[in-house]
Amino acid sequence: MEFDDEKYCNFSLLEKRQGQKIVLGLVNTQLDALEDKEVLLKRLEEANQHVDPKQICIATQYGFASTEAGNLISEEGQWRKLDLVHELAESLNA
């Protein structure tokens, strides 16, 4: 489920997925700017209000080259975002 933009985020929809693993695409793969880790942690807390936290996984919103021309993101930016996803996943397991 892609939730990289708060405008399109309605975590109450997660309530329909009780008992299932839910992968939240919170990290945007189209732009080079790195998301604020604290903001993403708060969004994970919001999601936890609707489902068991053990159901939640985190990922990028979709692939880094989701169009034929690719996206406006550098290779370095891609690695930074993957590192961020790893850090967030580690915090879910803490």
Side-chain angles (χ1 to χ4, degrees), residues 41 44 48 53 56-58 85-94:
L41 287 171
L44 286 169
N48 289 343
I56 296 178
C57 304
I58 183 141
V85 168
H86 180 257
E87 289 177 34
L88 291 166
E90 288 292 318
S91 71
L92 290 175
N93 294 323

Side-chain angles (χ1 to χ4, degrees), residues 30-43:
Q30 295 179 326
L31 304 172
D32 214 37
L34 189 63
E35 289 81 354
D36 182 308
K37 182 179 175 182
E38 295 305 315
V39 169
L40 294 179
L41 287 171
K42 286 180 185 173
R43 298 197 59 214

Side-chain angles (χ1 to χ4, degrees), residues 26-90:
L26 296 177
V27 178
N28 185 300
T29 56
Q30 295 179 326
L31 304 172
D32 214 37
L34 189 63
E35 289 81 354
D36 182 308
K37 182 179 175 182
E38 295 305 315
V39 169
L40 294 179
L41 287 171
K42 286 180 185 173
R43 298 197 59 214
L44 286 169
E45 287 177 22
E46 289 175 36
N48 289 343
Q49 295 174 11
H50 298 281
V51 293
D52 183 339
K54 293 178 184 174
Q55 290 179 242
I56 296 178
C57 304
I58 183 141
T60 57
Q61 67 179 145
Y62 45 75
F64 285 106
S66 57
T67 67
E68 183 177 321
N71 293 320
L72 301 174
I73 184 169
S74 66
E75 182 178 347
E76 180 184 323
Q78 292 176 40
W79 285 112
R80 285 193 324 264
K81 289 182 182 260
L82 289 173
D83 286 341
L84 177 61
V85 168
H86 180 257
E87 289 177 34
L88 291 166
E90 288 292 318

